[in-house]
Amino acid sequence: MTRASGRAERPILRSKLFLYVTEFFSGMGVMAAELGASRLLAPYFSSSQIVWTIIIGTIMIALALGAVFGGRWADRNPDPDRLYLRILAASVWIALIPLVGKYVILLVSGLLIVTVSTNFLVIAAFVSCMIVFVPPLFLLGTVTPGLNKFATDSLDDNASVVGRLSACNTIGSILGTFLPTFVTIPAVGTFVTFLIFSGLLLALAFVYFLSSGIRRIACALSAVVFAASAALSPMTGFAFWENRSSIAYEGESIYNYLQVKRLSDRTILSTNVLFGVQSVTMKRPGLTGMYYDTALAAPALADHAGSALILGMGTGTYARQLRQYYPHMSVTGVEIDQKITDLAARYFDEPGDIDVATYDGRAWLAASRDTYDVIMVDAYQDITIPFQMSSSEFFTMVREHLNPGGVMVVNMNMISDGRGSINEALTDTISSVFGSSSVRIADVPNTTNRELFAKRGGETMAASADAEALRGTVRERSGSDDLVEATVDVSGRMTGVRDPAKADDALILTDDRAPVELLGMRAIDNIIAQQAGPYRELLKREGIAGLLRQVQ
């Protein structure tokens, strides 16, 4: 079938308009799938730059291969039926992603976690992308060269046709970028977003085939698969293995996947279902037994305890603890995700009279002239701290917002020691700003948290951290015997830090160079190695059968 005869036999292709519409929706589908890929992977592997790089790279591979093979197939057999059949197949595959994708990701993770020793996140995210997203985007990558074949009548207008097709693809890509991020994902979630854009591609293929009176069975089967995925996908969430009765909320915001889980003694907020909990609130008043108790030493270490700023307010647990033990402190919170603030009021009993600004913590500091006695930096997201809140420039800004004698406390979420670790880099960076004599660290028992305290001027940190001095200060400011003993215990766990100016291997993080995601990935590798070590040994000794017996 020649190009001209192929177009003449399909009435819908007698006008080039439908070809341009096809290019438009193809570009839209590619970008919507890419944005959807980031949100599908984020609850399992994080939304870090590392994962974004993998998504973009694998999709570029798929599109490049699609362009090569699409052009070759169009030259060999310029049949538009085959092109629209590939669009139909791609739309069905994308429709199945909400139903099947999460199981593929967990299967890949389960297999790799007992076999891969380093770079788990990179390898697991790459393999998942290759399996889940490369096939449909490869098929969509064949669209442009195929359409160019059908749309070009002669070499005289070939460049103009290619330009119009490229413009349609680009405009579709723009909408496919903005609509998922700002409209569909916040409004109806990632799963439905996949179905919406899959449905648009499916409708495009249906119009082509049904107007030509062909492939009706294929269209009917595709409609059945689409309907089945639409019906079944919402029945399980990202954490499909969880006891659904304990999950009070599961949804998405512009920034995060969000899950609220109610346990017998606490309520938990998670933004990542594989690597820990982002915020916890105990149901009973008093000390939590968590890192908040260690961080409560900050008001006692400061020369005064009249005001506090929390960067990374989360669900407000630290604010509530401050209100309980230091009732006269004024507290201000900053949280970038408005939906987390809404959930905090709904599920976590966040004090309603605390002012919470919906802003990036660093941008908020840049716009504010207020100073505080205590500043809590608890901005961990996914696997690491945002790079803009880990640099010497950021901590200099925090220091300038502390009153003389004020204390900054930083929650370092993953204990990662040794040369080249993320905690070493953060500690050296903070010490370069505050001075090593003004910095102390304290590990939180039975957790992976470490709290770092840094003081601006006033008494030296060594004098402030003296157990007897702390005992009197806490009793005077709080009056709580429980907090007195807890704070004295914190002082016993405090250790000094090295002077980065005297260390040849010190890495001072800056706005220009802050590889916190790579450092955080190393910490994740260490945690996985510790947790998965016994299973890896079992796999070596007894093979897959022995491993399966163990996990049953």
Side-chain angles (χ1 to χ4, degrees):
M1 180 186 292
T2 65
R3 181 196 68 221
S5 64
R7 207 163 68 203
E9 289 177 6
R10 304 298 177 218
I12 197 170
L13 297 185
R14 290 173 185 165
S15 168
K16 293 181 181 179
L17 178 61
F18 190 71
L19 299 178
Y20 294 131
V21 171
T22 300
E23 185 73 5
F24 173 84
F25 282 108
S26 173
M28 180 186 289
V30 167
M31 292 309 300
E34 183 172 335
L35 270 296
S38 72
R39 297 307 295 263
L40 184 70
L41 296 180
Y44 308 102
F45 302 130
S46 84
S47 57
S48 66
Q49 187 177 16
I50 294 171
V51 175
W52 259 114
T53 300
I54 292 167
I55 292 170
I56 294 171
T58 51
I59 288 176
M60 291 298 102
I61 292 171
L63 294 177
L65 290 174
V68 171
F69 282 90
R72 185 178 301 173
W73 293 338
D75 284 337
R76 288 179 179 176
N77 187 357
D79 182 358
D81 294 355
R82 296 192 177 194
L83 174 63
Y84 283 92
L85 194 60
R86 292 197 291 271
I87 294 175
L88 183 69
S91 66
V92 171
W93 188 292
I94 294 172
L96 286 171
I97 289 175
L99 183 62
V100 181
K102 54 199 171 188
Y103 299 102
V104 173
I105 291 170
L106 262 294
L107 178 61
V108 169
S109 300
L111 292 174
L112 291 177
I113 205 166
V114 295
T115 56
V116 173
S117 299
T118 58
N119 297 322
F120 168 80
L121 280 179
V122 172
I123 297 172
F126 178 76
V127 173
S128 297
C129 273
M130 291 295 291
I131 294 173
V132 176
F133 293 102
V134 165
L137 295 179
F138 165 78
L139 294 174
L140 291 178
T142 68
V143 171
T144 298
L147 291 177
N148 183 54
K149 188 79 169 181
F150 308 134
T152 301
D153 292 316
S154 70
L155 292 178
D156 293 338
D157 67 347
N158 181 61
S160 296
V161 169
V162 171
R164 285 192 290 269
L165 287 172
S166 177
C168 290
N169 185 284
T170 302
I171 295 171
S173 297
I174 292 170
L175 289 176
T177 300
F178 282 92
L179 288 177
T181 300
F182 294 106
V183 180
T184 62
I185 290 176
V188 294
T190 299
F191 292 172
V192 176
T193 294
F194 277 116
L195 292 169
I196 289 172
F197 290 95
S198 166
L200 291 173
L201 291 171
L202 201 65
L204 187 72
F206 282 2
V207 169
Y208 175 83
F209 287 122
L210 296 179
S211 69
S212 304
I214 60 173
R215 303 283 186 181
R216 292 176 179 175
I217 294 177
C219 290
L221 291 175
S222 300
V224 169
V225 172
F226 180 87
S229 182
L232 297 176
S233 295
M235 296 176 67
T236 58
F238 285 96
F240 54 86
W241 60 88
E242 296 271 17
N243 179 0
R244 305 306 295 178
S245 63
S246 66
I247 296 179
Y249 175 85
E250 187 174 38
E252 297 175 76
S253 68
I254 291 178
Y255 298 99
N256 294 297
Y257 158 79
L258 301 169
Q259 181 197 96
V260 177
K261 187 191 299 184
R262 284 175 169 162
L263 304 179
S264 59
D265 62 337
R266 67 193 67 191
T267 304
I268 295 171
L269 172 70
S270 294
T271 60
N272 187 301
V273 299
L274 288 188
F275 299 112
V277 171
Q278 274 59 53
S279 194
V280 179
T281 295
M282 308 305 291
K283 292 185 176 180
R284 294 182 180 180
L287 296 172
T288 64
M290 304 178 67
Y291 74 87
Y292 307 103
D293 301 349
T294 300
L296 278 173
L301 294 169
D303 289 358
H304 304 281
S307 59
L309 171 67
I310 304 171
L311 302 178
M313 183 71 164
T315 60
T317 302
Y318 191 62
R320 186 163 45 257
Q321 295 297 100
L322 288 175
R323 277 292 173 83
Q324 179 179 346
Y325 291 105
Y326 295 94
H328 301 296
M329 288 189 78
S330 64
V331 180
T332 300
V334 180
E335 171 57 53
I336 194 171
D337 195 333
Q338 177 63 49
K339 203 155 190 176
I340 290 180
T341 301
D342 296 339
L343 293 176
R346 181 177 176 184
Y347 295 104
F348 295 87
D349 299 324
E350 182 178 87
D353 58 343
I354 292 179
D355 180 33
V356 182
T358 304
Y359 233 78
D360 172 81
R362 178 164 175 170
W364 191 92
L365 283 179
S368 173
R369 295 185 178 181
D370 295 333
T371 57
Y372 302 87
D373 296 316
V374 173
I375 297 180
M376 167 68 152
V377 180
D378 192 9
Y380 261 85
Q381 182 177 3
D382 296 327
I383 63 171
T384 189
I385 193 169
F387 86 92
Q388 76 272 16
M389 298 182 72
S390 67
S391 65
S392 58
E393 291 89 343
F394 168 72
F395 290 115
T396 298
M397 193 180 295
V398 174
R399 186 179 185 278
E400 291 171 351
H401 282 77
L402 283 171
N403 293 321
V407 169
M408 173 187 72
V409 54
V410 180
N411 177 37
M412 298 195 292
N413 197 35
M414 291 181 290
I415 291 180
S416 172
D417 291 313
R419 187 183 181 93
S421 68
I422 185 171
N423 280 352
E424 182 184 71
L426 284 170
T427 302
D428 286 343
T429 300
I430 294 169
S431 296
S432 72
V433 173
F434 285 83
S436 57
S437 63
S438 297
V439 177
R440 291 290 184 274
I441 57 175
D443 288 348
V444 181
N446 304 314
T447 74
T448 60
N449 294 82
R450 170 176 294 165
E451 304 304 298
L452 181 147
F453 301 88
K455 189 167 186 177
R456 179 181 182 180
E459 287 185 317
T460 65
M461 185 62 82
S464 299
D466 176 75
E468 289 307 312
L470 279 176
R471 191 185 298 275
T473 301
V474 176
R475 183 166 285 117
E476 176 186 347
R477 294 178 179 175
S478 170
S480 168
D481 291 336
D482 290 344
L483 186 60
V484 168
E485 297 308 314
T487 306
V488 171
D489 176 68
V490 172
S491 73
R493 288 186 268 121
M494 284 187 177
T495 59
V497 300
R498 69 179 184 175
D499 184 351
K502 298 178 181 178
D504 295 334
D505 60 345
L507 172 60
I508 306 302
L509 303 174
T510 66
D511 286 348
D512 182 59
R513 185 191 177 206
V516 289
E517 290 172 328
L518 290 174
L519 296 172
M521 189 176 66
R522 292 179 194 170
I524 289 289
D525 283 341
N526 291 335
I527 293 172
I528 290 174
Q530 294 172 7
Q531 299 295 324
Y535 296 100
R536 290 174 180 170
E537 291 299 320
L538 183 64
L539 182 64
K540 290 179 182 179
R541 291 196 316 267
E542 302 182 25
I544 295 178
L547 183 63
L548 291 175
R549 285 195 299 271
Q550 178 67 28
V551 299
Q552 285 177 348

